Every structure is written in C-alpha cells, then in structure tokens.
Amino acid sequence: MKHYGIAQWVDFARGVTPEQEGSIMGEHLATGCLECRQAADFCDKLARVCLAVAPLRAPEAVVRNARAIFPIRWPERSKRAVRIAAELIYDSFLVPVPAGMRASWQVGWQALYRAGDCSLDLRIEPELQSSRAAVIGQISNHTVPETEMANIPICLRSGRLVVAETLSNRFGEFQMEYEQQGRIQLCVYLDGGVRRIQVPLKTLVADKHAGRDRLNMGAASGKKRPGVYEE
Ligand SMILES: [Zn+2]
C-alpha cells in the first residue's frame, strides 16, 4: 500500500493537489489508513487556522522579531551597487553637553546622514557589560517624503563579513542587534541593490567600573568625552 508524506497532505488540505492524484489520496484515506488520516486531519486543521489568521495584520514589533529569527530572502544583491556619498549632518558626540547636564546621561550615539535624496537617522545603544549593541534607524526620502521605504535591505558589515541584516518596515524603520567588532559599516541597498549608502558605525564601550549609565572610552585614547567612541 502506498502512503503519502506530510508535504502531500499539506497540498491536499490546501486543495492544490492535481485532481487525479487527489482522488487517489482520498480513496487511500477511505481505506482507513490511520497514519495518513492523522496527517491529513492535522494538515486540514492547520490550513483552516492559516486561512483564518491570514487577513489579520501582525503587530510591527512581532514582525521585527520574526525577521530577526528567520533568514531574510534579499532581493538580488548587486555587487556593483554604486555607493552614494553620505554626509554627516548631525553627530550627538559633537554637540556640546548643555551646562548642568550630567555627562553620563548621554548613553549611545545619534547621527543623521544625508545621502542623495535620502536621510538616514541612526541611534546606537550599547548593551551594558557586554560588547553587543543595537542600532535603531530610519531611512527616508527628504525630497519626496511619500516615497515607499518598505523592505529596503540593510546590513551591517565588518569587512566582508555580514554581521546582521534586516529589511526596513513600511515606515523605513529598522533595528538590528550585533556584536561590536572591528570597523562596522552599515549598508542600505536602494533601488533593488543598484545604489548603496554606506556609513561607519561608532563602536561604543560601556564602562565596567562606572555606574550603570556611564560610557567610557575604549582603551587607546585618553580623550574625555561623554558617550565615547572609536572610529
Ligand atoms: Zn497511508
């Protein structure tokens, strides 16, 4: 007797099995095969649940988490992506701390880049007592603000190594967690990978000896700045 696998029962439940094959599978179920009946019933229930939840929109935070778990199918990544020159418009480390404000309040680094008609907002938050950090950002088109900015591939690279990758949401927002290592570059691939924005990320070092919200300089430099960085 020929039995059927789970993949075939999934197709059967979704009603996409070719007609002839489907009727043979139906006949097989009618013979009382318990194993296949269980698989068919399970797939039937699963298909129903999927149909019922399909119209519901998952919360943005859940989608972001799911994207972080599963590998992303990137649009074809062109190796010849033309790099768009990016200009640093704002750097939170270069702005003087207002008088009276505790230097240690500045945790993380914020920057704004302009590249062509795009603006790239970035914030890096180091994880305390760890070399990990999170980058939170948004890509937008400041010339034509209504430009669709969803599903833009963004990755972090350390040399040739891709450290993290994600896709922007429908607001052009993205978030990645990563291990700070070497010189990390953030790359944004525009127009299906034809053009690319590439900017360096600061490496933030959380001070193990200072208070919880205190950042300190990496080993080599003696400069005293709040929220310190290495290029
Ligand atoms: Zn069977």
Side-chain angles (χ1 to χ4, degrees), residues 1-4 9 28-29 31-37:
M1 193 190 286
K2 189 192 173 208
H3 298 281
Y4 298 89
W9 288 120
H28 177 70
L29 281 184
T31 65
C33 173
L34 190 62
E35 200 181 318
C36 287
R37 166 57 66 190

Side-chain angles (χ1 to χ4, degrees), residues 98-120:
M101 183 178 168
R102 276 182 41 189
S104 62
W105 282 5
Q106 189 184 21
V107 174
W109 174 65
Q110 245 180 307
L112 174 64
Y113 284 95
R114 283 272 161 93
D117 48 8
C118 287
S119 295
L120 181 60

Side-chain angles (χ1 to χ4, degrees), residues 83-142:
R83 185 169 171 181
I84 312 166
E87 186 188 356
L88 184 60
I89 302 288
Y90 172 80
D91 180 332
S92 62
F93 287 169
L94 299 181
V95 177
V97 176
M101 183 178 168
R102 276 182 41 189
S104 62
W105 282 5
Q106 189 184 21
V107 174
W109 174 65
Q110 245 180 307
L112 174 64
Y113 284 95
R114 283 272 161 93
D117 48 8
C118 287
S119 295
L120 181 60
D121 246 304
L122 292 178
R123 194 168 88 236
I124 299 177
E125 292 177 357
E127 205 173 87
L128 292 158
Q129 314 289 324
S130 140
S131 56
R132 293 184 65 80
V135 57
I136 299 124
Q138 185 174 29
I139 176 91
S140 56
N141 186 312
H142 57 256

Side-chain angles (χ1 to χ4, degrees), residues 140-221:
S140 56
N141 186 312
H142 57 256
T143 313
V144 190
E146 54 279 7
T147 306
E148 180 70 36
M149 283 295 179
N151 296 314
I152 293 174
I154 295 146
C155 76
L156 297 181
R157 293 176 161 276
S158 175
R160 294 181 153 221
L161 181 73
V162 174
V163 177
E165 54 188 5
T166 189
L167 296 172
S168 63
N169 70 11
R170 65 205 161 103
F171 305 112
E173 297 164 335
F174 56 90
Q175 181 170 356
M176 285 174 281
E177 289 185 11
Y178 62 103
E179 186 74 34
Q180 300 192 90
Q181 51 183 290
R183 287 159 183 261
I184 299 246
Q185 303 272 330
L186 182 136
C187 302
V188 178
Y189 294 88
L190 300 166
D191 306 331
V194 176
R195 297 188 304 149
R196 139 180 85 98
I197 300 171
Q198 184 174 329
V199 297
L201 292 192
K202 307 275 188 215
T203 302
L204 301 172
V205 185
D207 188 346
K208 289 185 185 70
H209 308 292
R212 266 179 59 79
D213 57 350
R214 184 72 185 264
L215 286 171
N216 228 326
M217 197 67 184
S221 171

